[in-house]
Amino acid sequence: ISAAKGAYQQGEFRQCETLLFRAIEQGKLLKEHEFAVNACHVGLGAVYIAIAKFSDAQKHLDQAMHALSGSSEPALRELYAVALRFHAQVYLELGDHASCERELRQAMQLLEELDGDGAVQLASVMSDLAVMYAADGKLSEARDLLFSSMELLELTLGSGNAEYMRASMIYSV
C-alpha cells in the first residue's frame, strides 16, 4: 500500500490503480483482511476521483462502505468515515451539495465518537465541509468549521504540519 500511496502522491494514478488491485488480492490473505481490502477500495475511490471517473469511484467506495458500515472496531469505523468523506467528494463533484453535506456530517459524527483517535480525519472532514459551505456562500458556518479544524490540527499535529497549513490557507481565503 505504501508504494500505491507514493504513486498517488506523484500523480501516477494508473500505477497506483494497478498496485491497489494487487494489494486487494494480497490483503485477502491477511489476518486484518477486512481493513486491508477496504482500505484499498477507498484508495481506488480516491484515484478515480482524481481522474474524474466518478462512477468507478462510487463503485469502490460503496463496496467499502457496505462492508464497514456495521463495524464497531475503531479502526474500521475510522476507515468507514474516510470512505464517507471520499464518497461526499463524488457528490460534490457531481453538484449534489445536499448529499455531500449529509455524508460529511455523518463522517464527522463517526469520528467524534472515536474520542481523539480520528482527530486528524475529523479535521479534514471539517475542512472539506467548510470549503463546500464557502462555495455555497455560507461564510459564517465555513469560518467556524475551519477555525475548529485548525484548532484540532494544531493540538494533534502542531502548527507546522501540512494539514494545518492547508486549513490555514483556506481560512485566509
Side-chain angles (χ1 to χ4, degrees):
I1 292 202
S2 62
K5 183 178 180 182
Y8 182 90
Q9 291 171 339
Q10 295 295 318
E12 298 172 7
F13 300 120
R14 235 19 214 159
Q15 174 76 10
C16 182
E17 176 187 34
T18 300
L19 291 168
L20 286 169
F21 275 116
R22 285 185 195 153
I24 286 173
E25 294 309 312
Q26 294 169 349
K28 290 176 182 177
L29 306 173
L30 298 175
K31 179 182 174 191
E32 299 293 327
H33 66 276
E34 187 175 8
F35 184 87
V37 169
N38 287 302
C40 291
H41 283 295
V42 172
L44 284 165
V47 166
Y48 291 135
I49 290 168
I51 59 176
K53 288 187 170 184
F54 302 120
S55 63
D56 289 337
Q58 200 159 23
K59 181 182 99 174
H60 286 280
L61 294 167
D62 284 344
Q63 188 169 346
M65 289 165 44
H66 178 74
L68 298 166
S69 65
S71 180
S72 60
E73 185 181 326
L76 295 176
R77 291 183 61 73
E78 182 177 3
L79 184 57
Y80 178 55
V82 172
L84 282 166
R85 178 181 176 219
F86 282 110
H87 202 254
Q89 182 66 34
V90 171
Y91 282 130
L92 185 63
E93 295 291 338
L94 297 175
D96 185 349
H97 288 212
S99 295
C100 176
E101 179 180 10
R102 182 186 69 245
E103 293 207 346
L104 289 173
R105 290 217 169 268
Q106 185 179 355
M108 281 177 55
Q109 181 181 351
L110 285 167
L111 293 164
E112 287 169 348
E113 292 169 2
L114 293 176
D115 292 329
D117 287 340
V120 173
Q121 288 297 333
L122 176 59
S124 294
V125 170
M126 294 166 81
S127 291
D128 290 351
L129 187 56
V131 167
M132 189 192 80
Y133 280 164
D136 289 346
K138 300 177 182 178
L139 300 181
S140 177
E141 293 96 328
R143 184 186 64 243
D144 293 344
L145 279 168
L146 277 172
F147 185 72
S148 295
S149 172
M150 289 170 57
E151 282 183 326
L152 192 54
L153 287 169
E154 186 171 24
L155 287 171
T156 56
L157 300 175
S159 60
N161 183 274
E163 283 297 314
Y164 177 87
M165 295 173 114
R166 173 185 174 260
S168 178
M169 286 188 289
I170 294 168
Y171 186 77
S172 297
V173 173

